[in-house]
Amino acid sequence: MTPEDVLAIPPSVLTDKQRQFYFENGYLLLERVISDSWIEPLRAATSEMIDESRSITESDQKWDLEEGHSEDDPRLRRLSSPNDHHITFWEYASQSIVPDIVADLVGPNVKFHHSKLNFKWAKGGEEVKWHQDIGFWPHTNYGPCTVGTYIYDCDIDQGPVGMISGSHNGELFDQYNDDGEWIGCLRQEDAEALEISKADYLDGPAGSLTIHN
């Protein structure tokens, strides 16, 4: 559906101003839109998954471990497809307000694609370089969107996701190196040409959503 098609449908959750902002800028920050009745179970489920990871010694399709991960000091980068490993994550993805919010941006026919749970540990964490998501799961239109949930407060010191307004309507960059190898980020020369000073970093309290094209 085009933005005009979507805007012709009355929204369930968002305002038309919020929807217009998303279409014009390519992203949206919704502060405290998820209630504690969801955040508390999500935190509990996350703690259970961290405890399960204590016995894991190397990364695999499920776990992405940070260097130094151990039973006494678990350090995760990512849990892949958490909705497949704990019912709470699937209940959140399917029964919370999130699908209605997505429908307000893409139209009423919403399909869940995949999920991941990212971690940023103190004195560690993984740098995420400038990239465009469309290259990670190629598709032929801009209907898909990525929704992030802050289950804890995320201030600017924790490195929140950054967006460059309007870039979704601009150039699609090559995310391979000179040897044709996938690097999952912009080449250095392309990244250096970005107007980084204009980036909007989406920090927010627990219960906030980030949505981007």
Side-chain angles (χ1 to χ4, degrees), residues 29 50 63 70 74 80 93 136 180:
L29 172 66
I50 292 173
W63 307 100
S70 67
S80 297
F136 285 79

Side-chain angles (χ1 to χ4, degrees), residues 170-187:
E171 179 181 356
L172 286 179
F173 292 96
D174 191 347
Q175 298 184 107
Y176 291 82
N177 64 19
D178 291 337
D179 295 323
E181 299 169 326
W182 173 255
I183 55 176
C185 62
L186 272 61
R187 298 183 184 192

Side-chain angles (χ1 to χ4, degrees), residues 57-100:
T57 58
E58 59 183 38
S59 299
D60 55 25
Q61 291 185 338
K62 179 178 178 180
W63 307 100
D64 184 2
L65 308 180
E66 188 174 298
E67 184 176 355
H69 174 86
S70 67
E71 182 175 1
D72 295 330
D73 184 23
R75 301 183 69 86
L76 299 172
R77 287 194 183 97
R78 184 174 299 107
L79 169 64
S80 297
S81 300
N83 55 283
D84 291 337
H85 307 301
H86 198 295
I87 187 60
T88 295
F89 295 113
W90 175 243
E91 290 175 343
Y92 172 67
S94 60
Q95 300 175 23
S96 72
I97 199 174
V98 170
D100 291 329

Side-chain angles (χ1 to χ4, degrees), residues 41-60:
L42 288 172
R43 288 178 177 175
T46 299
S47 294
E48 288 182 37
M49 301 311 298
I50 292 173
D51 285 340
E52 182 181 332
S53 78
R54 293 177 185 273
S55 62
I56 306 301
T57 58
E58 59 183 38
S59 299
D60 55 25

Side-chain angles (χ1 to χ4, degrees), residues 15-30:
T15 65
D16 279 333
K17 183 178 180 180
Q18 289 171 322
R19 298 202 293 176
Q20 288 279 10
F21 183 94
Y22 176 79
F23 291 131
E24 291 173 7
N25 297 278
Y27 65 92
L28 189 63
L29 172 66
L30 303 172

